[in-house]
Amino acid sequence: SDPLGEIGLVPTEANDDSLRATLRLAGAGRVLPWLELIGAALYTHENLDPSDALAEMPNQGSARHDGTVGLEARFFGRVDDVRLELRPSARISVVESQLHDLRPDHLGDPVAGPLEVAPTFRLGLAIEPMRGLTIAASASTATRVPNLVELFGDRGFLVGVSTLAPERAETADLGIALRGSVGDLRGQAELRGFLTLASDLIRYRRNTLFQAVPENVGSATLAGGELGLRGTLTPHFALTTAWTLLGTWTEQGGRERSLPLRPWLTGYVRPEVRAIGVGPIDRLSFWVDLEHVSDVFWDPANTSAIEG
């Protein structure tokens, strides 16, 4: 509700209904002692029925149909005491859309909804040279179609753009995972590094009304690391934490800049205390969730930042 037009370009009194329905079929089976196949078929229907009582022209609805099939093969076995696992996978999505823009200056403009084919291919490898230590790596190429928020926004501070192109990216990652126990202390940890080379990446920029507007950029590079820890000390104390360090680079105005609204550090910590067998209660838990988001540029030119 923005009857005075303080957020957007024109007064708005909107009530938008969205529907997402999904049908999924999946199965897995071991066809050989060292080979398992996993398959899935997915159909998703998305529908947006917008209504704005103050619009000069009636808002038109939009719909999208997404059919996806995927197959993954899991090769596994041992060489002496070393456990090996190889997972190639492929997924193909076919998306057909009928879209109508909701931006006030584009109302009534039909948006061509071409048939989009979004393939994803991935190869993953894991090696466990000793119990409790796993080294994992993967490489993938993927396509992602824009979601409904990116296409249509939220009528407020997120403005949708229905002509966005799908993102495409090539990604590689390498990680190490540890698990084990010492006395009453049990835990697992994972450290992973990643590199993504993206084209037509969807990023947000702020306009003069302080709204966030998505747009495609020709190319971008994202690289960083992730650390995750989970541990318990006796059944009564637990700690979960995850941290992501991220660097981004893209061309803007003839210079290399960071992607806006992509914080260089995000973190999560959850300490937990548990009471076991309290009267008729099997377990009682008390915890605190702590999240950290670093400072981040909000404009493509990197001239202004939002504090952490």
Side-chain angles (χ1 to χ4, degrees), residues 169-229:
E170 288 73 45
T171 298
D173 65 81
L174 175 65
I176 183 172
L178 299 171
R179 68 180 187 278
S181 62
V182 178
D184 291 332
L185 178 62
R186 298 176 180 272
Q188 60 189 55
E190 182 175 3
L191 179 64
R192 186 176 298 272
F194 61 88
L195 171 67
T196 297
L197 304 177
S199 58
D200 288 327
L201 180 78
I202 297 174
R203 73 171 181 194
Y204 280 91
R205 60 175 174 82
R206 296 279 291 275
N207 62 17
T208 56
L209 297 174
F210 296 98
Q211 295 170 310
V213 183
E215 64 182 4
N216 291 108
V217 294
S219 62
T221 301
L222 301 88
E226 297 174 331
L227 172 65
L229 298 172

Side-chain angles (χ1 to χ4, degrees), residues 1 34 52 62 94 136 139 152 163 184 214 216 231 239 244 268 294 301:
S1 178
W34 43 267
D52 183 0
S62 298
V94 179
F152 301 108
T163 55
D184 291 332
N216 291 108
L239 177 67
T244 299
Y268 170 78
S294 68

Side-chain angles (χ1 to χ4, degrees), residues 69-118:
V69 292
L71 180 65
E72 179 175 274
R74 174 175 172 256
F75 300 89
F76 58 94
R78 289 182 177 273
V79 178
D80 297 327
D81 293 331
V82 178
R83 186 178 67 87
L84 301 172
E85 189 168 305
L86 181 68
R87 291 199 180 202
S89 64
R91 186 179 72 224
I92 303 292
S93 294
V94 179
V95 182
E96 192 267 334
S97 306
Q98 304 92 35
L99 307 178
H100 292 87
D101 212 311
L102 295 183
R103 289 175 291 177
D105 51 337
H106 291 78
L107 279 181
D109 293 348
V111 179
L115 204 64
E116 298 283 358
V117 179

Side-chain angles (χ1 to χ4, degrees), residues 146-162:
N147 59 42
L148 285 187
V149 174
E150 293 165 335
L151 292 173
F152 301 108
D154 64 357
R155 297 279 196 174
F157 289 107
L158 290 177
V159 177
V161 176
S162 58

